[in-house]
Amino acid sequence: MRKHARETGDHGIGQMVHVVHMSDDVQELRRFYEDVLGAYVYMGVDEPNYLPPEDRYAALLMVGDLCIEVMAPKMPADVRRPVGKFFTKFGRHLHSVGYRVADLTGLADRLLARGVYIGKPGGGKIEQLDPETLYFFPSPRDTAGLMVELCGTDMPGDPRDQETWTSLERMWRNHPLTIERFSYVTLGVRDLDTAVRTYVDVMQAVPVQSGTDKDLDARYATLQLGDCLLQLAQPLSPDSALGRHVEQWGNMIYSLRFKVTDIDSAESWLHKNAVRTTRVRAELVVTDVEDTFGAPIFFSTEEIEGDPFA
């Protein structure tokens, strides 16, 4: 049975089609996800996909119910192209997220009416969306720093859209990481209240939970945006890992978090595969970014209060 994505807002923001993880070598990053995180690769299995207009290589894979696009510029990176420019500035780092939108034109009209800058595929400003346009990018300046691709179509071949999806679910649930589902992506921000207003008022995200996270040393708000959760987190100290990230990069995507059923099994498996971790507390571990290509990845058995996907 295929996965049925939940939608939010008047224009049907639905399935998170992917999180993009940038590196300098697609094959190396793909092998990490495949060998360590039990990923199922469905595009770029043998050779990565090369897209000449963007001068980049990529592959698509599933880690649990999260689709990740691993991407790298063709080396040497061409700073005149967006992918090369991003890698030159940020290096190995989480890059962006993407969402399937049922009414892409209607959402574009909503964003434009609220003064959001919308970029054309390949560059340039959109004043009014052509109904034939398949995707666009709001400026991160207007989305609290999150680079987000809004798409009118699903990713070709997405396993979640296939009738075999429930069979694949059983495979990754039996992996030593014991991933149950994806929890949320965290966006580090300088001003939490402004970021929340952006997502609630402009993107029609649904508030789920807010408070202070002692482990992140941050104020946070967790929102439902489409078929996943987005955590906005403002560091309380510049000395925390999140604080250093925001101090260096400003508002920007920070980390991924997965719900697991056995934290000891997950931690043991990561150590067996040379991924160092910190046991933040009894039921939460986070990877060392040096071993996970610049991306902190959290694993926890804990439920999120009010989680609509629990």
Side-chain angles (χ1 to χ4, degrees):
M1 182 184 298
R2 63 179 295 173
K3 184 176 188 287
H4 295 286
R6 302 187 194 185
E7 297 181 346
T8 56
D10 295 337
H11 307 291
I13 297 177
Q15 185 156 274
M16 179 191 274
V17 292
H18 56 50
V19 169
V20 178
H21 191 169
M22 184 76 72
S23 187
D24 54 342
D25 186 330
V26 162
Q27 293 292 66
E28 182 185 24
L29 186 53
R30 177 193 63 78
R31 285 192 296 269
F32 161 75
Y33 275 110
E34 195 170 14
D35 297 343
V36 180
L37 300 193
Y40 169 74
V41 182
Y42 72 93
M43 187 199 80
V45 177
D46 298 313
E47 294 291 336
N49 171 269
Y50 176 68
L51 189 62
E54 297 183 6
D55 200 28
R56 61 91 174 129
Y57 293 98
L60 287 167
L61 50 89
M62 300 297 304
V63 176
D65 56 346
L66 174 67
C67 178
I68 297 177
E69 181 173 5
V70 293
M71 184 184 294
K74 182 180 179 182
M75 293 297 182
D78 184 350
V79 296
R80 297 169 300 177
R81 309 287 182 91
V83 173
K85 182 178 180 180
F86 180 96
F87 178 79
T88 301
K89 182 177 181 179
F90 299 105
R92 293 175 165 185
H93 202 288
L94 294 173
H95 174 274
S96 61
V97 300
Y99 288 91
R100 168 75 162 87
V101 182
D103 178 13
L104 192 65
T105 302
L107 180 59
D109 290 343
R110 177 185 179 85
L111 298 180
L112 290 168
R114 284 160 176 75
V116 175
Y117 180 102
I118 295 179
K120 295 178 182 178
K125 183 179 180 180
I126 291 176
E127 302 288 354
Q128 183 173 4
L129 190 71
D130 182 338
E132 299 300 315
T133 300
L134 297 179
Y135 63 94
F136 62 79
F137 294 87
S139 170
R141 292 190 299 273
D142 297 324
T143 56
L146 184 65
M147 194 179 302
V148 55
E149 178 183 4
L150 299 169
C151 313
T153 60
D154 294 306
M155 296 298 290
D158 189 326
R160 294 169 294 187
D161 296 332
Q162 311 303 315
E163 292 300 322
T164 52
W165 171 243
T166 45
S167 179
L168 279 175
E169 278 189 308
R170 287 190 286 272
M171 291 175 60
W172 47 260
R173 287 176 188 270
N174 290 322
H175 186 276
L177 277 179
T178 70
I179 291 176
E180 185 176 328
R181 66 181 183 275
F182 180 59
S183 296
Y184 52 72
V185 59
T186 296
L187 175 67
V189 298
R190 296 188 188 276
D191 184 337
L192 179 64
D193 296 333
T194 298
V196 169
R197 284 197 297 271
T198 294
Y199 281 93
V200 173
D201 297 343
V202 178
M203 303 290 284
Q204 296 182 296
V206 180
V208 172
Q209 185 190 37
S210 63
T212 300
D213 187 321
K214 294 181 180 179
D215 302 312
L216 275 181
D217 195 17
R219 291 178 58 229
Y220 74 91
T222 304
L223 312 173
Q224 181 189 353
L225 185 62
D227 198 46
C228 67
L229 297 180
L230 171 66
Q231 183 192 63
L232 308 174
Q234 176 186 335
L236 296 173
S237 165
D239 299 324
S240 66
L242 177 65
R244 291 189 294 272
H245 183 271
V246 172
E247 180 67 24
Q248 182 174 8
W249 306 120
N251 288 12
M252 192 179 181
I253 188 172
Y254 174 63
S255 65
L256 305 175
R257 176 163 166 159
F258 292 90
K259 171 76 163 57
V260 299
T261 57
D262 188 331
I263 196 69
D264 294 323
S265 177
E267 184 180 50
S268 176
W269 175 257
L270 291 167
H271 290 173
K272 286 178 182 178
N273 286 275
V275 175
R276 291 165 289 180
T277 64
T278 297
R279 194 75 171 245
V280 180
R281 57 176 180 267
E283 299 303 325
L284 177 69
V285 299
V286 60
T287 63
D288 188 315
V289 295
E290 293 297 322
D291 299 332
T292 48
F293 296 80
I297 304 177
F298 291 82
F299 299 90
S300 177
T301 59
E302 298 164 347
E303 295 285 359
I304 300 164
E305 184 178 351
D307 185 352
F309 304 107

